[in-house]
Amino acid sequence: MSTLDAPPSVADSTAQAAPPHPAFAGFERWSGPGDPAMFFDWLGVRTRRDFFSLFQASTASPGPSVLRPAYPPIDEEFFEWVDVLESVRCAAQSGQERFVMIELGAGWGRWLMRAAAAMRALRPAFPVELVAVEAEPEHFGFLLDHLRDNGINPANHDLRQAAVATESGHTPFFVGAGRRWYGQAIAGPDVGPVDAFPEAAIEQVPAVTLTELLEPRARVDLIDLDVQGVEADVLQSAAELLDERVARAHIGTHGAAIERDCRSLFFDLGWSCVRDYPCGGQNIDTPQGPVDFGDGVQSWVNPRLVEQGGAA
């Protein structure tokens, strides 16, 4: 995520057309009572304003008493919405027993909660298993609050206050500035303080591997990965289990070398590339029009676990 990750949209539009992608079809747009302490997205997911220092509840205006939030704008996160919705739909229409999603570098768990809300809208009784890894202590607290605020008991899911790495144990990690910064990452041996966030510090935090997360699960419908520069390393370290058990991956990338390594890994595994947009790309032409990318976006589908037609 970027320095201050944009909070969910609070725009209201009763006349807005559906987004230009079939993934959104069949998911009804939410409307309901507002709350000045919360943001709401189009599925009705509530996000506390005080997760962000610029949007404290004390400065929030009351807003309309009944909200109908807008669909997401066409930006780099639009494609993350598409991957989440398609994963949910594929699981709901399949004969499998549950929907399983892993979010690495989870922040406050927004994509996990969005997936759960989408499944709740499509098949309310369908079991959902959420797996999150988030190392920054304040963000991990946000994750627990966010799930509770949206009717999910954190105790029923696998939520780990840790960094995802290639080896288990402990690893140096930036912590602090939780309400201003969502770019905390594993710290290299020569990395010093972050000038923009002098209150941040490097601490030893627990580390968990992707292999550890995959081993107890026969199938994972979606891995959503935003781990600030170690994307390729994490994925490569669990390549065999990734190919055997994971149906789809959405990756936020942070450099051309990382993008090249991810591309090589998935091509070697025989996965299908759904989209591949480089980080820092300006006015990149997409099927939905020109988009500026801060983080890059790669979406991959495992053809052995997703039926033909399940990808965008």
Side-chain angles (χ1 to χ4, degrees):
M1 293 184 222
S2 58
T3 300
L4 176 64
D5 197 64
S9 170
V10 292
D12 295 314
S13 174
T14 58
Q16 184 187 18
H21 197 286
F24 289 80
F27 293 96
E28 185 175 353
R29 197 165 142 221
W30 175 86
S31 64
D35 181 337
M38 299 284 183
F39 295 111
F40 293 80
D41 70 20
W42 68 280
L43 286 172
V45 174
R46 306 157 56 91
T47 301
R48 297 188 189 189
R49 286 177 174 266
D50 66 6
F51 290 173
F52 314 91
S53 62
L54 297 182
F55 298 96
Q56 296 294 328
S58 61
T59 65
S61 60
S65 58
V66 177
L67 301 178
R68 193 167 189 236
Y71 285 112
I74 309 299
D75 58 16
E76 71 181 56
E77 292 189 353
F78 181 84
F79 307 103
E80 203 157 1
W81 274 109
V82 170
D83 284 333
V84 166
L85 296 178
E86 288 188 335
S87 294
V88 166
R89 189 190 311 279
C90 284
Q93 293 176 347
S94 73
Q96 63 196 68
E97 296 180 353
R98 63 179 53 83
F99 172 81
V100 182
M101 178 174 168
I102 296 175
E103 187 172 6
L104 304 178
W108 70 95
R110 57 184 176 151
W111 294 107
L112 289 177
M113 191 58 243
R114 288 168 174 174
M119 185 61 80
R120 186 183 292 165
L122 202 61
R123 287 188 61 184
F126 198 87
V128 170
E129 180 183 356
L130 306 178
V131 183
V133 178
E134 173 55 49
E136 208 291 317
E138 193 167 23
H139 291 172
F140 188 78
F142 294 170
L143 166 67
L144 302 180
D145 288 338
H146 188 54
L147 295 183
R148 293 189 192 105
D149 289 343
N150 288 281
I152 289 182
N153 183 352
N156 294 335
H157 300 274
D158 187 355
L159 313 176
R160 306 195 188 197
Q161 186 176 336
V164 63
T166 58
E167 296 181 1
S168 59
H170 287 77
T171 189
F173 192 90
F174 280 101
V175 300
R179 284 179 166 80
R180 296 200 300 130
W181 186 27
Y182 280 88
Q184 288 88 345
I186 291 174
D190 300 320
V191 176
V194 178
D195 291 340
F197 306 103
E199 68 270 47
I202 298 173
E203 296 182 3
Q204 291 288 323
V205 303
V208 61
T209 68
L210 181 54
T211 295
E212 292 174 69
L213 300 173
L214 292 177
E215 280 180 335
R217 297 174 171 89
R219 177 189 171 99
V220 173
D221 295 285
L222 175 63
I223 289 180
D224 187 299
L225 187 75
D226 186 347
V227 288
Q228 302 298 322
V230 295
E231 299 85 34
D233 294 339
V234 165
L235 292 166
Q236 287 168 343
S237 71
E240 184 175 345
L241 279 178
L242 182 74
D243 190 41
E244 178 184 313
R245 304 186 184 187
V246 178
R248 192 182 309 249
H250 179 99
I251 309 162
T253 62
H254 299 84
I258 294 167
E259 291 164 353
R260 182 182 63 247
D261 290 345
C262 288
R263 203 175 291 126
S264 176
L265 168 67
F266 285 108
F267 278 137
D268 288 347
L269 294 176
W271 286 37
S272 301
C273 183
V274 180
R275 59 188 63 86
D276 183 354
Y277 301 121
C279 63
Q282 303 296 308
N283 292 307
I284 300 295
D285 189 31
T286 78
Q288 284 69 42
V291 173
D292 292 340
F293 289 87
D295 290 356
V297 169
Q298 289 189 13
S299 299
W300 297 87
V301 168
N302 185 341
R304 290 169 293 284
L305 296 180
V306 177
E307 292 183 9
Q308 189 171 2

